[in-house]
Amino acid sequence: PKPTRLEDYQPPEFLIDRAELRFDLDAVETLVSAALEIRRNPAAKRGDGSLRLDGEQLELLEIALDDRALPPVEYVVDERTLVVQRVPDRFQLRTRVRIHPAANTALEGLYISGDMLCTQCEAEGFRRMTYFLDRPDVMARFAVTLVADATRYPVLLSNGNPIDQETLPGGRHLARWEDPFPKPSYLFALVAGDLARIEDSFTTASGREVALHLYMEPRNRDKCGHAMRSLKAAMRWDEEHYGREYDLDLFMIVAVSHFNMGAMENKGLNVFNAKYVLASPETATDQDFAGIASVVAHEYFHNWTGNRITCRDWFQLSLKEGFTVFRDQEFSADQGGRDVQRIADVRALRARQFPEDAGPMAHPVRPSSYIEINNFYTTTVYEKGAELVRMQARLLGPERFRAATDLYFQRHDGQAVTTEDFVRCMEDASGLDLTQFRRWYEQAGTPVLECTADWEAGQGTYRLEVRQHTDPTPGQPEKSPRHMPLALGLIGTDGRELPVQLAGEPAPIGPGTRVLELREARQVFEFVGLSERPVPSLLRGFSAPVKLRFPYSDEELTRLMAADPDGVARWNAAQQLAERVLLAMVVTPDTPPPQAFIDAFAAALGDQEADPALLAEVLALPSESYLGDQMQAVDVDGIHRAREALMVQVATALRADLLERYHALHRFEPVTDQAAASTDREPDLSPAAMGRRALKNLCLGYLMRAPDDAVLALCQRQYATAATMTDRIAGLRGLIRLRDTDQAELAEQALTDFYQRWSQDALVLDKWFAIQAQASAPGTLGRVKQLLRHANFSIGNPNRVRSLIGAFAAGNPVCFHAADGGGYRLLAEQVARLDPLNPQLASRLLHPLTQWRRHDASRQALMRAELEGLRARDGISPDLFEVLGKCLD
Ligand code: B3K
Ligand code: ZN
């Protein structure tokens, strides 16, 4: 397979103004007829006069140009294209092809999910349904006719507006849809099935009524309320914050059980992984509820950032994804709590994007070459892309940023554009010069800010020196300094904020956060008028996606952890302190944690003023993989041992405090009578209640590290009487720690109970698989192998694959990295098995192995051997080929 390069971009030679499609739907064999109105693109260079359409796995049955059937000498078909020789400047092309949805295991194009038929076109799935110019800068008006068996597929959906329905002879029926908005083919969708529907409506700011339809398998109809409420909240939010109204009279969401990713923003017809739609307090955790709100909002926001304004080519993917992630993060911050949302975003960025940026798969937010575009739906394009928008928003300030997005929507509506067009709007609306800022889109790698400070007591002057550098990444040995906002505050001994006044400036109105701008490799800031040596609170709100180093003393970190008014900085101080303690314990096992750490922990645990949700973040230890990222070579076992040991020590030292806080928080929960399975009250799903449960279950997690009979009983009781899945799964997570101990039967009982309760609910069963795959108990690898043979395991269902294989490989470092290589072998075998079926998923699952260079020599050899083994296989997919090439060469 050959790479596609950004520098080779050429505008399309032909445009398609209108596409009339007819699908004669059937799971085994579907016929697709297309009538395309095509014309030469006046803005493009004239080629050899022939038309090249994309098409894969299509069986061409008929082809006609302006109603003249084409003889075989006038066109050429191969595996990937249909070339029609010498076409006029404007013409109609009609084709008819045969496709096989039931045989489509890649879940790209038209495929079956359970009993329904559905599509996934982004990025290049449309070409698996008909011959087309399958690229985002070709935008056509679509008119679609769907014909299917009326009993099996009573519901027939496509983009835009329903035009017409007819009953046909032979038990079939037909539906016509028209989308008035021109769109690229990747936004096309159709769904056919026996689906239930819940309805609501939304009145836009300008007073238009929009019908909202949510479709699902009938047994799930009572689990869609939260998704619907989230949708309406997102619609209002987009009007209020960006002035964006919805533009059709109907907005539809369909929940499907077989889906490669989270969801898809097809125009007017979003198709969702059921995981991001279905929820009830008994079946979904608080995290699931938050995930649903954010994905529903994300896909809805794409209607403007993605659909109305789309990408010129796939290198521009972050234009829509980075901006839309930024928008959904801000939405979630407004719904649930700003600090906690930001902390979750930063945690995710550090857990996934920083390692990507530091490894063989590193690429810029706007990549310059790819073999398989599906490999570039990455955390760099998405989450780092969102950070780039966030930094621009911060540099502009709220008013100018709003003016800039207004300009963007006005200037580019209906167009397929680039990240450059986006940045230009930021500049044009603000007058700022973002020339240097553009490097963020082009340079891969995470910048490191090395900060030092000195204090001149006599003058009350505090000098902060900031140096930035970025390590080389594949293909980019040299990096230039970047332009970024650095938000900071200064904290005094009593924990209060001090004024932040730069030399030569008038005294500020009051203390608080200041945003400084970095541009140079080295910069010095001089703060004056200070009565004492401050502790700098740096990178508040995580104002730039960088690694910041400052030589804090433990005492200074403790002060920030207790008092920083910026929640993100407070959390970050706690993380740094814990990281320090833990890394010391890795080097010297059996060192007790410093008393100062236990005291700081106890103080935070007892803080009755702070938001419990924030405390739950502050008191959670850094993850094993994050700790690994901080080491030269990851000491998988040492880290696991140290982290567990510290949790035991905290649990032992602070048993009473943990229990007290646990009980105080648990009192809020409704109680379920186990026998009657009835609850005295409805569970509370407010952000405050979710925060209380988070802190409570954090306490339980610590307590279960050193469980005596009382703690065990408490955990069992929580498991058995929980009114929410959040509490039940937290109980189960505690009990499963007993596996492979002499109290193992408590774990087994709970797991069996859980299975029996939920074996009919696929999404809950995914949790049952995942929680076992993530257990650090020594027998886990063997159990994962058994679970692969479990009647409820299915290699054809991506959610199930992720919940077992993905959860094990990406979420269980100590077992996955078992010294004998058994974990690596398991992953490689499953990737090999999956690749011919679903290459996109296979290539994603492989990722933990791509980080092989981070490990000790013996693990490196084992990991490499598995990767080489995969590469030596015949007929691996381009997806896998690209990832293997990058991490092995
Ligand atoms: N745009 C889709 C992702 C498509 C992935 C294709 N491999 C979902 C989203 O980002 O909203
Ligand atoms: Zn998206």
Side-chain angles (χ1 to χ4, degrees):
K2 280 208 318 272
T4 305
R5 289 179 211 287
L6 171 58
E7 61 191 28
D8 296 338
Y9 172 82
Q10 295 290 340
E13 233 178 288
F14 292 91
L15 301 172
I16 303 178
D17 293 319
R18 187 175 159 83
E20 276 182 42
L21 305 175
R22 177 187 162 114
F23 289 80
D24 287 278
L25 291 164
D26 175 78
V28 176
E29 184 175 293
T30 286
L31 299 175
V32 187
S33 314
L36 310 178
E37 306 288 340
I38 303 181
R39 73 185 151 94
R40 213 168 269 287
N41 180 5
K45 277 207 309 274
R46 228 191 147 85
D48 62 1
S50 59
L51 168 77
R52 308 178 72 81
L53 297 178
D54 306 297
E56 287 172 14
Q57 298 173 23
L58 307 175
E59 185 190 342
L60 182 61
L61 303 173
E62 287 167 32
I63 177 164
L65 197 150
D66 289 336
D67 288 330
R68 181 177 69 90
L70 288 182
V73 291
E74 292 188 35
Y75 63 91
V76 182
V77 187
D78 68 18
E79 298 267 87
R80 317 182 57 105
T81 45
L82 162 65
V83 181
V84 185
Q85 262 115 36
R86 281 179 300 282
V87 295
D89 286 350
R90 183 182 282 273
F91 57 99
Q92 190 199 53
L93 187 78
R94 291 201 290 133
T95 59
R96 199 166 140 82
V97 301
R98 191 182 354 243
I99 57 176
H100 302 94
N104 178 358
T105 55
L107 314 189
E108 255 196 307
L110 180 66
Y111 67 93
I112 56 172
S113 169
D115 294 327
M116 63 208 257
L117 284 162
C118 64
T119 56
Q120 170 55 35
C121 294
E122 188 178 0
E124 298 180 334
F126 190 77
R127 62 187 66 184
R128 291 161 175 248
M129 294 186 293
T130 193
Y131 288 103
F132 207 76
L133 292 170
D134 191 12
R135 45 187 287 169
D137 55 356
V138 171
M139 298 169 85
R141 284 200 173 75
F142 283 76
V144 179
T145 302
L146 303 175
V147 179
D149 183 276
T151 321
R152 293 182 77 117
Y153 305 111
V155 175
L156 298 174
L157 309 174
S158 192
N159 317 87
N161 302 314
I163 301 297
D164 189 14
Q165 279 197 347
E166 278 173 41
T167 310
L168 301 175
R172 293 178 80 77
H173 71 148
L174 161 162
R176 265 186 253 283
W177 291 82
E178 261 198 62
D179 184 353
F181 292 93
K183 64 167 174 292
S185 50
Y186 84 85
L187 290 172
F188 170 88
L190 78 80
V191 172
D194 185 2
L195 303 174
R197 167 163 116 191
I198 66 163
E199 296 178 18
D200 207 325
S201 75
F202 179 84
T203 309
T204 68
S206 67
R208 271 187 327 101
E209 267 306 276
V210 179
L212 309 177
H213 292 173
L214 234 147
Y215 290 91
M216 71 297 302
E217 292 174 33
R219 65 198 149 94
N220 291 323
R221 70 175 317 142
D222 57 340
K223 293 205 194 112
C224 299
H226 177 65
M228 186 64 98
R229 281 188 297 279
S230 304
L231 173 61
K232 291 199 284 182
M235 293 176 87
R236 191 61 77 212
W237 190 90
D238 212 15
E239 295 183 343
E240 287 167 357
H241 292 80
Y242 287 86
R244 298 296 109 200
E245 269 190 30
Y246 186 61
D247 51 9
L248 287 161
D249 298 332
L250 172 63
F251 185 79
M252 296 172 283
I253 291 179
V254 184
V256 308
S257 56
H258 291 61
F259 207 65
N260 273 346
M261 64 262 166
M264 178 64 212
E265 70 265 23
N266 318 296
K267 183 77 186 189
L269 176 59
N270 287 190
V271 175
F272 270 60
N273 186 329
K275 176 178 163 58
Y276 291 108
V277 178
L278 306 178
S280 69
E282 304 77 50
T283 59
T285 62
D286 293 341
Q287 252 188 333
D288 294 330
F289 277 92
I292 289 169
S294 100
V295 177
V296 167
H298 179 99
E299 306 309 330
Y300 173 74
F301 295 157
H302 267 317
N303 190 54
W304 275 95
T305 51
N307 302 4
R308 291 286 289 252
I309 305 180
T310 195
C311 302
R312 187 192 74 173
D313 54 72
W314 292 120
F315 298 102
Q316 317 300 328
L317 185 56
S318 195
L319 173 80
K320 74 178 177 84
E321 295 306 346
F323 191 13
T324 305
V325 170
F326 171 70
R327 279 150 53 70
D328 84 54
Q329 291 175 342
E330 287 297 291
F331 167 77
S332 296
D334 283 343
Q335 306 286 303
R338 195 150 276 276
D339 282 343
V340 173
Q341 177 63 35
R342 187 65 186 138
I343 290 167
D345 295 340
V346 175
R347 212 180 342 95
L349 196 75
R350 283 181 174 163
R352 305 203 306 122
Q353 202 279 325
F354 283 14
E356 181 165 276
D357 239 352
M361 314 298 294
H363 55 274
V365 168
R366 192 195 61 206
S368 54
S369 131
Y370 60 76
I371 290 178
E372 171 52 62
I373 184 57
N374 282 326
N375 281 332
F376 284 80
Y377 286 75
T378 59
T379 174
T380 297
V381 166
Y382 275 65
E383 278 79 24
K384 188 175 180 181
E387 295 301 315
L388 271 48
V389 177
R390 184 181 303 280
M391 283 191 284
Q392 292 174 80
R394 206 187 272 265
L395 290 169
L396 267 67
E399 278 89 36
R400 291 191 298 181
F401 181 65
R402 173 61 194 268
T405 58
D406 286 351
L407 174 64
Y408 175 69
F409 292 120
Q410 179 223 318
R411 188 184 275 178
H412 295 299
D413 188 14
Q415 298 176 2
V417 303
T418 62
T419 55
E420 171 56 27
D421 294 313
F422 179 84
V423 177
R424 192 154 321 124
C425 289
M426 297 291 122
E427 286 182 321
D428 290 352
S430 68
L432 291 188
D433 178 358
L434 296 173
T435 310
Q436 186 185 356
F437 187 86
R438 284 172 173 78
R439 287 180 186 155
W440 279 104
Y441 286 94
E442 293 152 18
Q443 291 188 162
T446 306
V448 177
L449 302 186
E450 300 274 2
C451 307
T452 51
D454 61 84
W455 165 241
E456 276 182 47
Q459 274 134 52
T461 300
Y462 186 69
R463 215 172 283 110
L464 178 72
E465 178 180 322
V466 184
R467 276 172 297 139
Q468 59 160 299
H469 77 269
T470 306
D471 287 337
T473 53
Q476 292 188 335
E478 300 291 332
K479 315 276 182 180
S480 314
R482 304 184 216 200
H483 179 194
M484 69 182 91
L486 175 64
L488 56 76
L490 300 174
I491 308 273
T493 1
D494 59 357
R496 289 235 294 274
E497 293 219 73
L498 304 173
V500 186
Q501 181 183 4
L502 285 171
E505 281 184 351
I509 324 256
T513 303
R514 283 259 327 235
V515 181
L516 307 177
E517 292 189 32
L518 301 183
R519 292 173 182 275
E520 315 293 332
R522 176 180 174 277
Q523 262 166 286
V524 177
F525 300 95
E526 202 170 88
F527 303 101
V528 297
L530 292 161
S531 52
E532 56 170 316
R533 180 182 185 130
V535 178
S537 162
L538 298 168
L539 206 66
R540 281 188 162 173
F542 204 68
S543 61
V546 298
K547 297 179 183 167
L548 186 140
R549 304 208 175 109
F550 183 85
Y552 287 114
S553 68
D554 288 359
E555 185 277 320
E556 288 174 322
L557 284 177
T558 311
R559 196 193 304 177
L560 294 176
M561 175 176 166
D564 201 315
D566 182 87
V568 179
R570 188 175 176 189
W571 164 76
N572 199 35
Q575 295 292 293
Q576 286 181 70
L577 195 60
E579 175 190 323
R580 224 173 249 190
V581 172
L582 285 162
L583 292 180
M585 289 170 76
V586 174
V587 180
T588 331
D590 304 322
T591 25
Q595 189 57 37
F597 176 80
I598 301 286
D599 292 344
F601 192 104
L605 183 61
D607 184 341
Q608 302 298 326
E609 307 293 300
D611 176 9
L614 176 66
L615 291 182
E617 295 288 357
V618 166
L619 296 175
L621 298 182
S623 71
E624 290 180 23
S625 43
Y626 177 77
L627 293 165
D629 294 339
Q630 314 313 310
M631 301 186 72
Q632 274 307 339
V634 184
D635 178 353
V636 185
D637 299 313
I639 290 171
H640 180 71
R641 222 178 298 120
R643 194 171 179 279
E644 289 300 313
L646 183 56
M647 289 190 81
V648 172
Q649 280 155 343
V650 169
T652 315
L654 301 177
R655 181 176 186 278
D657 307 57
L658 287 163
L659 273 172
E660 186 188 323
R661 194 90 212 223
Y662 175 90
H663 287 299
L665 294 161
H666 193 56
R667 268 192 298 114
F668 289 91
E669 294 303 319
V671 182
T672 299
D673 172 341
Q674 213 189 335
S678 66
T679 308
D680 62 345
R681 284 166 286 138
E682 282 302 302
D684 183 350
L685 296 174
S686 64
M690 291 188 179
R692 288 195 296 265
R693 281 192 288 273
L695 183 56
K696 175 188 76 179
N697 287 322
L698 175 112
C699 294
L700 180 63
Y702 277 102
L703 289 164
M704 281 300 287
R705 263 28 187 223
D708 53 24
D709 288 348
V711 167
L712 273 183
L714 171 149
C715 188
Q716 280 185 292
R717 192 164 58 243
Q718 171 165 328
Y719 171 78
T721 63
T724 62
M725 180 53 80
T726 306
D727 278 358
R728 196 180 301 273
I729 207 102
L732 184 59
R733 218 176 271 288
L735 295 171
I736 208 173
R737 311 193 61 75
L738 304 170
R739 268 198 152 166
D740 302 331
T741 71
D742 46 13
Q743 279 158 317
E745 83 280 6
L746 297 183
E748 304 310 327
Q749 275 163 16
L751 279 163
T752 306
D753 174 81
F754 193 92
Y755 178 80
Q756 281 164 354
R757 265 174 213 265
W758 302 113
S759 59
Q760 299 309 312
D761 188 315
L763 295 173
V764 184
L765 211 50
D766 286 337
K767 299 182 192 301
W768 183 79
F769 277 95
I771 201 170
Q772 299 187 70
Q774 286 170 336
S776 60
T780 291
L781 178 65
R783 292 198 181 91
V784 171
K785 288 182 181 163
Q786 276 168 15
L787 288 169
L788 282 166
R789 291 191 296 271
H790 193 279
N792 291 106
F793 181 76
S794 154
I795 197 81
N797 185 324
N799 284 353
R800 192 55 49 85
V801 168
R802 283 184 283 257
S803 74
L804 182 56
I805 307 167
F808 174 72
N812 191 346
V814 73
C815 293
F816 174 65
H817 291 285
D820 66 359
Y824 308 147
R825 169 59 49 87
L826 179 129
L827 179 60
E829 279 170 4
Q830 296 306 317
V831 166
R833 172 182 178 203
L834 200 53
D835 187 48
L837 302 171
N838 187 336
Q840 206 174 313
L841 186 58
S843 131
R844 243 165 217 271
L845 279 185
L846 184 67
H847 272 230
L849 276 177
T850 65
Q851 295 285 352
W852 61 274
R853 282 196 179 82
R854 303 280 308 114
H855 293 272
D856 57 58
S858 115
R859 285 186 172 90
Q860 283 199 10
L862 291 164
M863 294 172 93
R864 240 197 111 99
E866 297 302 340
L867 293 164
E868 303 275 15
L870 284 170
R871 188 152 68 163
R873 294 176 69 89
D874 285 335
I876 55 168
S877 65
D879 310 58
L880 210 53
F881 174 86
E882 179 169 39
V883 173
L884 289 168
K886 286 196 162 173
C887 71
L888 284 171
D889 299 331

